[in-house]
Amino acid sequence: MTVRGLAPLTGTRMDPGHFHFDERTEFDASLVADVLRGRRFGVIFRDVIPVATQKELCAKFWASPALKRRTGEPSYYVGSYHWNKPIGTYLAESAEVAGDVMDVLDVADSPWHLFQDELARELAGRGASLRLAEMDGAQACPALIRAWNKEGAYSLEPHEDEAQCRDPRQAGFEVQRVPDFEVCAVNMCVEHEEGGRLVLWNIRPDDDSRRRLGIEHTGFSYPAELLDGFEEFRVDIRPGDVYIFNGRHVHAVDATRGNRTAVSFLMGFADARTVVTWT
């Protein structure tokens, strides 16, 4: 249906049987590889980050000299966003802050190190490798640690992660090849007070929809009214959870009360044998 003069959202919908999250209580990198291959929509590993690790990582995050407030939203972060930036700016910021990011992640039973090590081993068994995305010898940021606290309908508005990979200001960056495969989002929850469920809709918007909305190279944001009628589900997120899903589909985070802090990055195949990550 047309909303506020906007044409209906068009794109690709998954078979309803595929549009769900698998849930496990132990980390299994083979399931992550399935999401990367498009064989699963998403998987959440419940309570796999020890409580002591959560507390130590959060403490290092809030004490980091690289902690910044993001302009335009009530969030703090350590790291660098590639979203809506020239590639030179992103890579320069990544180089500047990489040491601070790794310092925050350097904790006992680090979920980032566990994820990277286990997934690299799984991919190697399938003839593929895992590394940071690169361009002209410069590397992407290894992770983004961020916290936000916002009430209202959504603390993070409905968006998708494919459009940003095609930003012409980042021509030549490896992530521009990832949409030929799947664009996947990874989040590791280390602090979560109340609310802040992950919301997902069964629609992968096409370029016509993005152009009509003026978000062709950002994927942010989609009017909630246009999502009415699409299959939706919400995933409760708790401290200690690690989850990965297909970020090409529209998703959001509903209202939070108290901080929601997570280690995040994007990932996908840049070619048949190489998985790259970026932020």
Side-chain angles (χ1 to χ4, degrees), residues 210-230:
R210 296 185 186 108
R211 279 191 287 267
R212 287 194 299 268
L213 293 169
I215 57 174
E216 188 175 3
H217 299 130
T218 63
F220 186 91
S221 60
Y222 289 85
E225 307 97 302
L226 290 184
L227 297 167
D228 289 343
F230 291 105

Side-chain angles (χ1 to χ4, degrees), residues 35-251:
V35 178
L36 283 164
R37 297 283 190 190
R39 296 170 183 158
R40 297 175 189 267
F41 177 69
V43 60
I44 184 165
F45 304 103
R46 295 288 191 188
D47 198 29
V48 294
I49 308 173
V51 172
T53 299
Q54 297 171 37
K55 291 181 177 178
E56 184 181 3
L57 202 153
C58 279
K60 295 185 74 171
F61 166 69
W62 289 111
S64 174
L67 183 70
K68 294 181 180 179
R69 175 128 190 189
R70 193 174 190 194
T71 303
E73 66 179 46
S75 69
Y76 292 86
Y77 69 99
V78 174
S80 177
Y81 291 82
H82 94 115
W83 184 81
N84 203 25
K85 285 179 185 172
I87 185 58
T89 300
Y90 171 64
L91 292 175
E93 290 177 352
S94 296
E96 181 180 355
V97 78
D100 295 290
V101 170
M102 296 309 296
D103 179 67
V104 174
L105 299 175
D106 184 19
V107 295
D109 299 313
S110 169
W112 185 89
H113 285 289
L114 172 67
F115 186 99
Q116 296 280 330
D117 292 347
E118 292 293 320
L119 181 57
R121 187 175 300 114
E122 173 68 24
L123 291 171
R126 304 183 185 205
S129 62
L130 174 67
R131 60 171 172 78
L132 295 174
E134 301 175 351
M135 183 175 177
D136 298 331
Q139 293 183 318
C141 191
L144 184 72
I145 306 101
R146 57 184 174 177
W148 67 90
N149 178 357
K150 180 184 175 186
E151 297 189 6
Y154 299 105
S155 60
L156 184 57
E157 297 295 324
H159 65 286
E160 42 85 9
D161 300 325
E162 179 178 357
Q164 61 189 280
C165 295
R166 304 186 189 277
D167 190 331
R169 293 174 298 171
Q170 298 187 4
F173 191 30
E174 286 184 302
V175 307
Q176 298 212 318
R177 301 200 303 270
V178 172
D180 293 338
F181 300 88
E182 304 295 345
V183 182
C184 301
V186 180
N187 290 273
M188 304 169 177
C189 182
V190 294
E191 182 181 26
H192 196 112
E193 296 187 24
E194 188 177 356
R197 293 172 297 177
L198 177 65
V199 190
L200 307 112
W201 289 269
N202 190 4
I203 180 65
R204 192 181 85 201
D206 54 24
D207 285 338
D208 286 341
S209 291
R210 296 185 186 108
R211 279 191 287 267
R212 287 194 299 268
L213 293 169
I215 57 174
E216 188 175 3
H217 299 130
T218 63
F220 186 91
S221 60
Y222 289 85
E225 307 97 302
L226 290 184
L227 297 167
D228 289 343
F230 291 105
E231 183 185 1
E232 170 196 320
F233 68 88
R234 301 188 179 221
V235 182
D236 288 316
I237 307 298
R238 301 188 290 266
D241 293 346
V242 173
Y243 55 101
I244 176 174
F245 63 93
N246 193 319
R248 301 172 83 169
H249 284 247
V250 178
H251 53 282

